[in-house]
Amino acid sequence: NTSPYLDVVEFKVMTENNGDWSNTAELTFSVSDCSANNPPVAINNTIDINRLGETCDYSMLLQGDTIFPYTDVENDDLEWIEIVTLPLIGTLLKLNNSVVTVGQQLTLTDLTDGIQYVSELTEEGAYTTIVEFRVKTLNNATMSNIAQLTLNISSCNIPVYTACETFSLYFDTEPY
């Protein structure tokens, strides 16, 4: 039983001075099942990624357990996060140069080592993409809710080059 329940105990007290028993009193106990463990709560997170330089080719190392934040009432440690959806626009998540897949479980060691986000080479404008995830903590059989990691990617700054060249056109006026 994971819900609290009440128990009533009746008792009498004998005092030392007069040696008589007191009137009956009631004491009510509220007992909870201490084995209950609440699931963790995954929290949405947003990261802004600024692409600088002359190409749109960009990657960023997402590193640490705060990338996929969560809370846990019992303060249980992170066991792993599960990737629920991958980014739809211009990216792949890579883990140690291997592609992260839907359903993959990333441990604290994986997050500490870092996950590489690679922007799509052809995207010049700014865009937003989302990774959905959920959390599993130690000592808890239940997964968290699904939360979103939103990546806001800035537009890349490709310089505009102009070239000036002089050329001449000659026309042949003779008929064929």
Side-chain angles (χ1 to χ4, degrees):
N1 183 7
T2 59
S3 61
Y5 61 91
L6 301 178
D7 198 1
V8 177
V9 176
E10 290 185 7
F11 64 96
K12 290 183 178 185
V13 176
M14 180 184 285
T15 61
E16 208 173 294
N17 292 342
N18 99 8
D20 290 332
W21 288 98
S22 67
N23 293 331
T24 301
E26 288 185 357
L27 180 61
T28 303
F29 293 93
S30 174
V31 180
S32 295
D33 180 2
C34 294
S35 66
N37 193 344
N38 297 309
V41 177
I43 302 170
N44 293 335
N45 191 15
T46 300
I47 297 176
D48 296 324
I49 298 175
N50 293 314
R51 295 188 291 177
L52 302 173
E54 295 185 7
T55 69
C56 290
D57 183 9
Y58 185 81
S59 65
M60 178 180 186
L61 185 64
L62 304 175
Q63 196 168 26
D65 60 346
T66 58
I67 298 296
F68 300 97
Y70 73 96
T71 61
D72 185 72
V73 173
E74 293 83 20
N75 292 317
D76 290 334
D77 291 331
L78 177 70
E79 186 171 356
W80 38 262
I81 63 107
E82 178 184 15
I83 301 297
V84 177
T85 63
L86 293 170
L88 295 177
I89 300 174
T91 66
L92 290 177
L93 285 174
K94 292 188 175 186
L95 173 66
N96 300 327
N97 292 324
S98 63
V99 176
V100 173
T101 59
V102 170
Q104 186 165 357
Q105 298 167 353
L106 304 174
T107 65
L108 184 56
T109 301
D110 295 330
L111 299 176
T112 302
D113 291 346
I115 298 169
Q116 196 74 22
Y117 172 81
V118 181
S119 69
E120 187 170 295
L121 300 176
T122 59
E123 284 291 333
E124 291 181 22
Y127 61 90
T128 296
T129 191
I130 294 172
V131 177
E132 290 184 322
F133 68 96
R134 56 186 174 180
V135 176
K136 168 78 171 64
T137 56
L138 295 170
N139 302 322
N140 200 321
T142 308
M143 296 285 295
S144 74
N145 57 302
I146 295 174
Q148 294 182 338
L149 170 61
T150 302
L151 301 173
N152 293 322
I153 315 301
S154 71
S155 59
C156 55
N157 299 319
I158 298 177
V160 177
Y161 296 103
T162 57
C164 295
E165 204 173 301
T166 304
F167 60 92
S168 300
L169 294 176
Y170 296 97
F171 295 99
D172 185 2
T173 57
E174 296 296 319
Y176 292 107

